[in-house]
Amino acid sequence: MSRGVITSADVALRAGVSRSAVSRCFTPGASVSSKTRGRVMEAAQALGYRPNAIARSLNKGRSRMIAVVLGYMDNPFYPAMLERLAARLQACGYRLLLFTAKPDGSCDELFSEILVYQVDGIILGSILLTSALAQRCRAARIPLVLVNRTTDDRVVSSVTADNRNGARAVADFLLAGGHKRFAYVAGLASSSTNHDRETAFRKRLTEAGVSAFIREEGAYTREGAQDAARRLLQRPRPPDAIFCANDHMALAVMDVARFELGLRVPEDVSIVGYDDVASAAWPSYRLTTVEQPVDVMAQAAVDSLMGRIEGGQRGGEQVRIPGELVVRDSARRPASGIVTVDGQDLWRPRERMKARAKA
Amino acid sequence: MSRGVITSADVALRAGVSRSAVSRCFTPGASVSSKTRGRVMEAAQALGYRPNAIARSLNKGRSRMIAVVLGYMDNPFYPAMLERLAARLQACGYRLLLFTAKPDGSCDELFSEILVYQVDGIILGSILLTSALAQRCRAARIPLVLVNRTTDDRVVSSVTADNRNGARAVADFLLAGGHKRFAYVAGLASSSTNHDRETAFRKRLTEAGVSAFIREEGAYTREGAQDAARRLLQRPRPPDAIFCANDHMALAVMDVARFELGLRVPEDVSIVGYDDVASAAWPSYRLTTVEQPVDVMAQAAVDSLMGRIEGGQRGGEQVRIPGELVVRDSARRPASGIVTVDGQDLWRPRERMKARAKA
DNA sequence: AGAGTAATTGCACACGTGTGCAAGCTTTTC
DNA sequence: GAAAAGCTTGCACACGTGTGCAATTACTCT
């Protein structure tokens, strides 16, 4: 108390009860008479006492902190995700310990820093997880969930968009639009998200008999995407449709196409992204893209963690969140298959068939 | 050890030394013979031991955690700031505890959550600080630094851009460009940053004899800025120059001007922002704006905090970071006063005079 | 009223670490 | 070789909390 910090002992002294009684007053469900509770609360109020979370963590072996590791924040999808995660965790009474890592570099040394803080769970966003790290988490019994990435280790939980379905929808959409020469701007080749989107996209095109397919790597960065766009669009026979592994790169590709090369979008080249970040809807871009519902994914990640921390679930669930293909003006529109919902145009070829069947 | 957590006692047992010896091995500058250090480190390595940060925090009364509170992340300036803060704090061996609050709402209840975790310092970004909160921090002896906001309380430290100078430069720049009817799109009126930019901008215009000045409030949101732009530009005599309190709103204003109202920028109306966020440089916008050097500001905030945590400084310093007016294409260019540095055009009327003097 | 039961309370220990203090040991110095 | 000085080391306490256990108190029922 003299040093400015007031402890339960100070409150106990003032209220004329034992320290245990004070502790019980701040422990939901503990046995305290209403009389002592009143006196304790009054004393606590007067002194401005709140139980020390650090001491409580040490005692209970639970810190009520969740480590969130993000690779990079240039892509606005991640700040948005972070904001949702912070809100969700706060609502659950947990605190968010933020770490940043190089997106390609492994985060081994970071992991030591994290484990030392006895966090109750870890959320990894856009970070590739080595099996050694997964093993360490399992040994320390710390639940872990990947966001926007998966891993082969089926024991690790993950929350991703339904990337294969999304990429297939893009392929179908572009085919229906009558495109002939396709290109893909890849993210980091090592990321599962890129792999899922690329392979599903390519497979669908191959099934449709398309042979004109080229790819360039953009490494998820704006500069990488710009270079990729230049290489793609300055070929003798440039593509008439470009699918980018995310919106962040798609916007860069649009800028290069329009302002460096003087191309019209979508008349000369169609461009499709993935994420539906806020700027995709801006009138300067009006990017056609597959949405990745940020708040649903954040909620799923937190739910998965809570299920394993508070309930005793074993983990290893792979949650896939579906997302709509939002049709705007950066890609040529097919004659049919587009429905309008809440003022947004969506690519839903099935629904149209249903509607036709109904008529 | 049976429960999976290994403590210094386990290491001590294995190395055949006392627990204190283990502790000293992990305390820089403690007295340990090289022989025991070797045995301890070997045992620690074998068992995978690292000192429990929670227990250490409790013991030392220092958690090595810094709370960062952000109001909103829609404006990409804040994610960028957050990323820099995270990197800087990590480099100093501190952890970042992230909290989010409503930008207008006070964060009183949040503060209780923060203080409970015994953080060593608090960084507030785009949050208005009530004097009651400042008082609580002082009572708890927790250093506090505001980023991008100031307060009248001269005991509170803050890091901001040199907003008055920046706004004056914008006024001079627009006057030199021959503009006649000026408008300002305000952020939250309660924020010091908005106040400084607005009053300095207006004062300079008044000094120059300008009477045509109107203002609208955009509340720092995209929607607010769009509404403000519509009100401004649909007046009988619309402004020919609009200064926006930040880039986030300036981009929205540009979109409304060009795509809703069919105006040409900068031929019909000049638009200037503040922050120099990444998207301001995108070719779709090429926004003329005053830079707010994110990494310099982050460094200054961390330095200020460290000076008070580790050194024993008293605090109360008001750091103002200067920033250049970056000239792009969203505002009519004056005939003179622009110099090119590292491929960027900057508004430096003084320097030009110097250059002329030299010739 | 008395016995039996339920609720409340305080003691004491545990959580895992850092560190002052004194004792033990090693090295230096005369 | 002995005394002095300097390193190391272990003991024991502190940090602030939660909780099992036993003791005490309050309450209920016959």
Side-chain angles (χ1 to χ4, degrees):
Chain A
M1 167 128 193
S2 59
R3 222 190 67 230
V5 281
I6 35 148
T7 75
S8 59
D10 300 318
V11 179
L13 195 67
R14 182 174 174 123
V17 297
S18 82
R19 212 181 45 70
S20 317
V22 179
S23 173
R24 285 188 239 268
C25 285
F26 287 90
T27 310
S31 166
V32 202
S33 76
S34 60
K35 197 176 83 181
T36 53
R37 153 158 285 138
R39 297 173 59 185
V40 166
M41 285 312 188
E42 188 186 2
Q45 184 76 26
L47 278 75
Y49 168 79
R50 292 238 6 211
N52 182 330
I54 297 286
R56 178 180 277 179
S57 299
L58 177 59
N59 184 301
K60 304 197 73 163
R62 298 265 218 89
S63 65
R64 295 193 81 83
M65 295 195 293
I66 304 290
V68 173
V69 189
L70 290 183
Y72 60 122
M73 309 246 282
D74 301 331
N75 178 353
F77 176 77
Y78 290 106
M81 171 62 76
L82 181 59
E83 184 175 24
R84 300 313 304 153
L85 285 175
R88 297 292 186 190
L89 288 174
Q90 257 171 247
C92 295
Y94 280 77
R95 252 57 59 193
L96 192 163
L97 215 48
L98 179 67
F99 295 85
T100 57
K102 279 114 241 144
D104 47 348
S106 69
C107 51
D108 280 56
E109 71 286 0
L110 253 189
F111 249 65
S112 300
E113 292 296 316
I114 294 173
L115 295 180
V116 151
Y117 268 85
Q118 313 291 99
V119 295
D120 295 345
I122 302 179
I123 296 176
L124 253 47
S126 77
I127 295 285
L128 56 89
L129 180 74
T130 65
S131 53
L133 288 189
Q135 183 52 43
R136 275 174 80 182
C137 279
R138 213 168 310 150
R141 299 199 189 296
I142 299 184
L144 177 111
V145 52
L146 302 183
V147 173
N148 214 9
R149 291 286 184 279
T150 329
T151 173
D152 294 333
D153 190 339
R154 306 308 284 180
V155 183
V156 181
S157 295
S158 66
V159 176
T160 61
D162 191 346
N163 291 312
R164 289 174 214 270
N165 259 330
R168 270 193 290 267
V170 172
D172 289 342
F173 172 81
L174 290 173
L175 286 166
H179 298 87
K180 299 296 178 198
R181 298 183 305 285
F182 296 83
Y184 178 75
V185 175
L188 288 171
S190 55
S191 83
S192 67
T193 304
N194 180 75
H195 177 264
D196 289 350
R197 290 175 189 172
E198 179 166 4
T199 50
F201 182 60
R202 180 152 204 180
K203 181 145 173 279
R204 190 60 146 228
L205 292 180
T206 310
E207 286 168 1
V210 170
S211 61
F213 180 90
I214 45 180
R215 92 186 274 282
E216 286 286 349
E217 192 145 330
Y220 290 135
T221 68
R222 184 171 176 89
E223 292 71 28
Q226 286 172 328
D227 289 343
R230 291 181 194 114
R231 288 194 297 270
L232 284 176
L233 294 169
Q234 291 179 326
R235 295 166 68 100
R237 292 202 59 188
D240 60 352
I242 305 181
F243 175 35
C244 301
N246 67 19
D247 285 358
H248 184 53
M249 294 198 297
L251 298 178
V253 171
M254 277 184 79
D255 278 339
V256 167
R258 294 202 287 206
F259 295 98
E260 282 188 27
L261 307 176
L263 299 172
R264 291 166 305 159
V265 177
E267 291 82 355
D268 298 323
V269 57
S270 287
I271 296 170
V272 177
Y274 212 114
D275 282 352
D276 197 21
V277 299
S279 39
W282 293 358
S284 295
Y285 294 100
R286 296 212 31 87
L287 180 69
T288 293
T289 185
V290 184
E291 71 162 342
Q292 227 174 355
V294 185
D295 48 350
V296 179
M297 290 176 68
Q299 181 71 64
V302 171
D303 284 349
S304 167
L305 228 45
M306 292 303 141
R308 288 156 71 194
I309 295 172
E310 303 188 337
Q313 293 170 25
R314 295 285 293 137
E317 52 175 349
Q318 325 281 327
V319 182
R320 261 195 298 275
I321 309 286
E324 298 280 357
L325 170 38
V326 181
V327 180
R328 299 203 182 90
D329 306 330
S330 70
R332 213 184 306 154
R333 289 178 172 234
S336 68
I338 297 175
V339 301
T340 304
V341 180
D342 296 335
Q344 274 204 327
D345 290 351
L346 306 177
W347 168 248
R348 286 193 188 162
R350 308 269 169 187
E351 192 158 308
R352 198 183 176 291
M353 283 168 62
K354 221 190 295 174
R356 191 194 290 169
K358 209 184 276 179
Chain B
M1 165 128 193
S2 60
R3 222 189 68 231
V5 281
I6 35 150
T7 76
S8 59
D10 300 319
V11 179
L13 196 67
R14 181 172 174 126
V17 296
S18 83
R19 212 181 47 69
S20 316
V22 178
S23 173
R24 285 189 239 268
C25 285
F26 287 89
T27 309
S31 165
V32 201
S33 75
S34 60
K35 198 176 81 179
T36 53
R37 156 159 282 138
R39 295 173 60 184
V40 166
M41 283 313 188
E42 188 185 3
Q45 184 76 26
L47 277 75
Y49 168 79
R50 295 239 3 213
N52 182 330
I54 297 286
R56 178 181 278 178
S57 299
L58 177 59
N59 184 302
K60 303 197 72 162
R62 298 265 216 90
S63 64
R64 295 193 81 82
M65 296 194 293
I66 304 291
V68 173
V69 189
L70 290 184
Y72 59 122
M73 308 246 281
D74 302 331
N75 179 353
F77 177 77
Y78 290 106
M81 173 62 76
L82 181 59
E83 184 174 24
R84 300 311 306 153
L85 285 175
R88 296 292 185 191
L89 288 174
Q90 258 171 245
C92 296
Y94 281 77
R95 251 57 59 192
L96 192 162
L97 214 47
L98 179 67
F99 295 85
T100 58
K102 279 114 243 141
D104 46 349
S106 68
C107 50
D108 280 57
E109 71 287 357
L110 253 189
F111 249 65
S112 300
E113 292 296 317
I114 293 172
L115 295 180
V116 151
Y117 268 85
Q118 313 289 100
V119 296
D120 294 345
I122 301 179
I123 297 177
L124 253 46
S126 78
I127 296 285
L128 57 88
L129 180 75
T130 65
S131 53
L133 288 189
Q135 184 51 43
R136 276 174 78 183
C137 278
R138 212 167 311 149
R141 300 197 189 294
I142 298 184
L144 178 109
V145 52
L146 301 184
V147 173
N148 214 8
R149 291 287 183 281
T150 329
T151 174
D152 293 333
D153 190 339
R154 307 307 285 180
V155 184
V156 182
S157 296
S158 65
V159 176
T160 61
D162 191 347
N163 292 312
R164 289 173 214 270
N165 259 332
R168 269 192 291 268
V170 172
D172 288 342
F173 171 81
L174 290 173
L175 286 166
H179 297 87
K180 298 296 178 199
R181 299 183 305 285
F182 296 82
Y184 177 74
V185 175
L188 288 171
S190 56
S191 82
S192 67
T193 304
N194 180 75
H195 178 264
D196 289 350
R197 290 176 189 172
E198 179 166 4
T199 49
F201 181 61
R202 180 152 203 178
K203 181 146 173 279
R204 190 61 146 227
L205 292 180
T206 310
E207 286 167 2
V210 171
S211 62
F213 180 91
I214 46 179
R215 92 187 274 281
E216 287 285 349
E217 192 144 332
Y220 290 135
T221 68
R222 185 170 175 89
E223 292 71 28
Q226 287 172 329
D227 288 344
R230 291 182 194 114
R231 289 194 297 270
L232 284 175
L233 294 170
Q234 290 179 326
R235 296 165 67 100
R237 292 202 60 187
D240 61 352
I242 304 180
F243 175 34
C244 301
N246 67 19
D247 285 359
H248 184 54
M249 294 196 296
L251 298 177
V253 171
M254 277 185 80
D255 279 338
V256 167
R258 295 203 287 206
F259 295 98
E260 281 187 27
L261 308 175
L263 299 171
R264 290 166 305 159
V265 177
E267 290 82 356
D268 298 322
V269 59
S270 286
I271 296 171
V272 177
Y274 213 114
D275 281 353
D276 196 20
V277 299
S279 40
W282 293 357
S284 294
Y285 294 100
R286 296 214 27 89
L287 180 70
T288 292
T289 185
V290 183
E291 71 163 342
Q292 226 173 355
V294 185
D295 48 349
V296 179
M297 289 176 69
Q299 181 70 63
V302 171
D303 284 349
S304 168
L305 228 45
M306 292 303 142
R308 288 157 71 195
I309 296 173
E310 302 187 338
Q313 294 170 25
R314 294 285 293 137
E317 51 174 350
Q318 326 280 326
V319 181
R320 261 195 299 275
I321 309 286
E324 298 280 358
L325 170 39
V326 181
V327 180
R328 299 204 182 90
D329 305 331
S330 69
R332 212 184 308 152
R333 289 177 173 235
S336 67
I338 297 175
V339 301
T340 303
V341 180
D342 296 335
Q344 273 204 329
D345 290 351
L346 306 177
W347 168 248
R348 287 193 188 162
R350 310 267 170 188
E351 192 158 311
R352 197 183 176 292
M353 283 168 63
K354 220 189 299 172
R356 191 193 289 167
K358 208 184 278 179

